Amino acid sequence: IKRMTELWDYERFGLPYKEGGRYFWSYNDGLQNQNVIYTTSSLEDEPEPLIDPNSWSDDGTVALAAYFPSPAGEHLAYLVQDGGSDWRLGKVLEIETGEVLDDNLEWLKFTNLSWAADGSGFYYSRYPATSEEDKFQSLNTNMKIYFHRVGTPQDEDEIVYERPDQPEWGPRAQVTDDGNHLVITISVGTDDRYAIGYQDLSVADSEPTLIIEGFDYDYTLVGNIGDDLYFRTNDGAPRNRLIVINAKDPGRDNWREVIPEAEDVLEDASLVGGKVVAQYMQDAWSVVKIYDLDGNQVGDVDLPGIGSAYGFSGKVDNPETFFGYESFDTPDTIYRLDVESGDVSVFRAPDVAFNPDDYVVEQVFYESKDGTRVPMFIAHKKDVVADGARPTMLYGYGGFNISMQPTFSVTRLAWMDMGGVYAVAN
């Protein structure tokens, strides 16, 4: 028990997010029920606590679900989750004073908050109000997109997009970094298959229109450069590709492929520092590549080993981005990447009660009964002799297009700490 306690009590860091000249990230000392949000104007300065959800309830059941700083760093909109419910309560914080404003947004579920460029307010999705008795029994239908102006009551919020003829549609809004485009991603059910709507925010009194109809493929907005909207999609590419759709001329015949489908799965992409940072899954572990805007590979991101990387968000005109990395022998560690130079440095690493260098993570391959070549991760202490006599925990899973990638777990580390071998058959 003492050793398990030593292993478990370590600090956790979230990815820094930069907006309006400020950095925001989460931190947990290892013993807190909820993560605390910190902010600072410089990475060299001591961060200050901004939101501490641990003060919201005595039993720790009220949590911060997500937060969204405004473009100028004046306000922070956030979503509150109570008791594990999918329903969210929207609030607004004034960053300079720490004052929580009177803005109170209800009936939010499965939504993000996306700020207008001038910081006057944000777009969000919500369902119709029901009686309190029916709140947890009502169907998820008739979702609409609204615009909320900071400092005004919710009943004055403007409806931006609705489809009363399609009650099953779930629209969600995203404003591009330059504030000129509103991209509406519309889902039906939980499949990653979307229709896409668009509104030109640079034109007064413009209306949203559908630019991609049907629910056949995944179209995930990556970002924009001018009128060029970058999407990661599996349309014509089961392992995904990166395409450009011009907002002013969005017809399929005018789509342009930037990064074609590869042997590895393109899991995510971001526009940072005038480059495309592309995250691939290669044999169930992360490989990250850097491309120019024409799709030419110009670099690789040096990852610590066989593990899982995530993050890499940022601004198209700022080469700085952050990413997290973890593996069977390494808890979440946060790195800073300079996209222009390719330099990678540790931003925050937890102080843990073991030495990751004492362990090894490797990958082997075997043939299934039908001859398919299948990868398998094997992790253990370096001094473990592979003689077939060691106790081994073998884990496997298959379903819902989910791949078991390398992640850190204290219980698995404790198993390896005692000399056991951990294997994941992919």
Side-chain angles (χ1 to χ4, degrees):
I1 294 176
K2 180 181 178 182
R3 180 56 175 156
M4 288 287 287
T5 301
E6 291 175 344
L7 292 173
W8 225 296
D9 293 349
Y10 69 91
E11 55 191 350
R12 278 82 163 172
F13 300 94
L15 286 174
Y17 182 81
K18 190 176 183 181
E19 196 68 79
R22 302 190 69 87
Y23 295 90
F24 303 85
W25 69 85
S26 65
Y27 173 76
N28 192 306
D29 63 15
L31 297 176
Q32 294 169 294
N33 287 324
Q34 310 292 346
N35 296 338
V36 179
I37 305 303
Y38 284 78
T39 185
T40 180
S41 57
S42 169
L43 296 180
E44 286 71 41
D45 295 338
E46 189 71 22
E48 299 176 351
L50 185 63
I51 297 180
D52 184 2
N54 295 287
S55 64
W56 291 351
S57 63
D58 293 334
D59 59 2
T61 58
V62 181
L64 176 68
Y67 66 94
F68 308 86
S70 65
E74 297 174 342
H75 295 100
L76 183 128
Y78 61 96
L79 298 174
V80 180
Q81 179 185 25
D82 190 354
S85 169
D86 286 333
W87 290 106
R88 304 288 189 263
L89 178 66
K91 304 290 289 182
V92 179
L93 174 81
E94 190 175 70
I95 293 176
E96 187 65 31
T97 64
E99 177 188 357
V100 178
L101 305 183
D102 292 333
D103 302 60
N104 204 56
L105 307 183
E106 297 183 284
W107 306 104
L108 278 60
K109 187 194 286 190
F110 312 134
T111 183
N112 62 319
L113 309 178
S114 190
W115 285 90
D118 61 3
S120 61
F122 51 83
Y123 297 84
Y124 69 98
S125 301
R126 58 160 286 191
Y127 290 102
T130 67
S131 67
E132 195 63 30
E133 292 77 17
D134 294 334
K135 183 174 183 179
F136 299 105
Q137 305 296 327
S138 59
L139 298 175
N140 296 323
T141 57
N142 295 301
M143 176 185 274
K144 303 175 184 179
I145 295 175
Y146 289 79
F147 182 78
H148 173 73
R149 293 191 178 278
V150 173
T152 65
Q154 186 178 20
D155 58 15
E156 294 182 7
D157 290 354
E158 170 193 355
I159 296 177
V160 175
Y161 187 80
E162 62 176 334
R163 286 297 298 265
D165 60 321
Q166 299 289 348
E168 303 294 329
W169 286 18
R172 296 160 183 87
Q174 185 175 348
V175 180
T176 55
D177 284 344
D178 60 9
N180 291 331
H181 310 282
L182 182 72
V183 175
I184 300 172
T185 302
I186 307 167
S187 63
V188 174
T190 58
D191 289 346
D192 294 329
R193 295 183 297 186
Y194 309 116
I196 301 295
Y198 170 78
Q199 182 178 359
D200 189 345
L201 298 181
S202 67
V203 177
D205 300 323
S206 64
E207 296 290 336
T209 59
L210 282 180
I211 62 173
I212 300 177
E213 299 188 32
F215 297 90
D216 301 315
Y217 298 102
D218 178 2
Y219 301 96
T220 298
L221 180 66
V222 171
N224 79 297
I225 296 178
D227 290 333
D228 285 340
L229 306 175
Y230 286 71
F231 287 89
R232 189 206 68 204
T233 183
N234 58 2
D235 185 347
R239 292 185 297 275
N240 296 329
R241 60 182 179 141
L242 188 69
I243 64 172
V244 165
I245 299 176
N246 187 275
K248 298 295 193 295
D249 196 4
R252 179 179 287 268
D253 291 343
N254 300 312
W255 293 7
R256 176 167 58 89
E257 183 176 80
V258 178
I259 301 178
E261 181 183 28
E263 189 67 28
D264 299 328
V265 177
L266 177 61
E267 288 198 293
D268 206 353
S270 54
L271 291 177
V272 183
K275 302 286 195 304
V276 177
V277 179
Q279 303 173 49
Y280 287 94
M281 181 170 61
Q282 175 183 286
D283 296 326
W285 55 285
S286 294
V287 172
V288 183
K289 303 177 181 180
I290 301 176
Y291 294 84
D292 64 22
L293 298 180
D294 294 321
N296 302 304
Q297 186 178 349
V298 295
D300 295 283
V301 177
D302 186 19
L303 300 179
I306 296 175
S308 301
Y310 60 92
F312 301 97
S313 65
K315 303 294 185 183
V316 70
D317 58 353
N318 187 343
E320 178 184 60
T321 185
F322 297 86
F323 68 93
Y325 172 87
E326 64 178 317
S327 189
F328 300 112
D329 61 345
T330 307
D332 261 344
T333 302
I334 309 301
Y335 292 83
R336 180 186 179 276
L337 166 67
D338 187 300
V339 177
E340 185 64 36
S341 67
D343 291 341
V344 174
S345 57
V346 175
F347 173 68
R348 293 288 188 273
D351 184 14
V352 292
F354 68 95
N355 184 0
D357 292 337
D358 292 341
Y359 299 81
V360 60
V361 178
E362 59 184 341
Q363 186 175 59
V364 298
F365 292 84
Y366 63 93
E367 281 194 0
S368 68
K369 288 185 178 180
D370 66 357
T372 302
R373 187 170 181 257
V374 182
M376 178 166 62
F377 297 114
I378 301 176
H380 54 78
K381 267 191 168 182
K382 285 183 177 178
D383 59 5
V384 167
V385 179
D387 57 4
R390 289 283 182 167
T392 301
M393 184 184 298
L394 174 64
Y395 182 80
Y397 174 85
F400 306 99
N401 203 30
I402 295 173
S403 298
M404 294 292 99
Q405 297 178 259
T407 56
F408 181 75
S409 163
V410 169
T411 52
R412 292 197 297 251
L413 196 285
W415 170 257
M416 295 188 292
D417 189 54
M418 294 185 293
V421 176
Y422 184 72
V424 177
N426 298 115

